Amino acid sequence: MERDKANQKQVYDQLVTRHGQSEFSKQMEVEDKGTTFRVVDPAVLPVKPTSPNRIAIILGGIAGGLAAAFGLVLLLDYYDESVKSLDGLKALGLPVLAVIPKMQIPAEIRQQKAYDVRLYAISACYFSLILIVLLLELMQIPLFSSSLNSLQLKQYLSQAAGQFK
């Protein structure tokens, strides 16, 4: 009976503790609902992003692309073991028995020129696009900003029009 009494007393003490905790929690909730918050300083939208630095990335991409292309050309030329001219062969001190000239077919020449013109035109368009994006970044025109709403756009355009008058 003493053991039962001790168990019942322990259960009762736990219930009283939980009841006190729930009263305290309910009182805190009531107090929190009455609390008001006041904005001291409104949030300010930054003029330009702090990261990433798009100009540095674009210039780094251009420089890296040119360096990689130059390095690839040098590497391919270094490992190319073919003879390119008669003078290169004579420089090795080898006797030249005969030279077979390369036969050039006019249709193949035209086809190669057309291919080269297409390749250079596509490359020029792509590089022009990169330069346009770089120019827009330098002029700080928000090209890809997803947070730009219509009011900000109108303000920006009116400011830009005022600068060019």
Side-chain angles (χ1 to χ4, degrees):
M1 283 185 43
E2 286 294 324
R3 192 174 31 183
D4 254 358
K5 182 180 175 186
N7 285 340
Q8 294 295 331
K9 173 91 169 117
Q10 186 180 7
V11 169
Y12 176 76
D13 289 341
Q14 288 176 353
L15 287 173
V16 168
T17 304
R18 287 183 189 166
H19 179 67
Q21 289 175 349
S22 68
E23 287 294 323
F24 181 74
S25 296
K26 187 166 63 170
Q27 189 178 26
M28 290 299 289
E29 284 182 27
V30 170
E31 287 178 9
D32 282 346
K33 287 182 183 175
T35 305
T36 58
F37 294 98
R38 189 173 49 127
V39 177
V40 177
D41 290 327
V44 179
L45 185 67
V47 177
K48 69 177 197 169
T50 57
S51 177
N53 187 354
R54 292 180 182 163
I55 295 171
I57 291 172
I58 292 170
L59 291 176
I62 291 171
L66 290 174
F70 185 71
L72 183 64
V73 167
L74 286 179
L75 187 69
L76 288 174
D77 187 53
Y78 180 75
Y79 284 112
D80 186 14
E81 296 179 356
S82 64
V83 177
K84 295 175 183 54
S85 69
L86 184 61
D87 295 332
L89 193 57
K90 286 182 180 179
L92 294 175
L94 298 173
V96 178
L97 300 176
V99 175
I100 302 173
K102 183 175 180 179
M103 300 292 290
Q104 300 212 353
I105 301 171
E108 285 182 1
I109 293 172
R110 283 192 305 273
Q111 187 179 13
Q112 185 63 38
K113 279 186 179 181
Y115 175 78
D116 290 345
V117 166
R118 279 193 309 266
L119 181 66
Y120 292 142
I122 291 170
S123 299
C125 289
Y126 183 70
F127 192 67
S128 297
L129 179 67
I130 291 172
L131 290 179
I132 288 170
V133 170
L134 178 62
L135 181 66
L136 291 175
E137 285 294 326
L138 287 172
M139 293 173 52
Q140 296 180 349
I141 296 176
L143 182 63
F144 300 113
S145 177
S146 62
S147 64
L148 189 68
N149 62 28
S150 62
L151 179 62
Q152 290 173 325
L153 182 62
K154 288 178 186 175
Q155 289 175 349
Y156 180 78
L157 291 176
S158 66
Q159 289 174 354
Q163 289 177 352
F164 292 113
K165 286 184 179 179

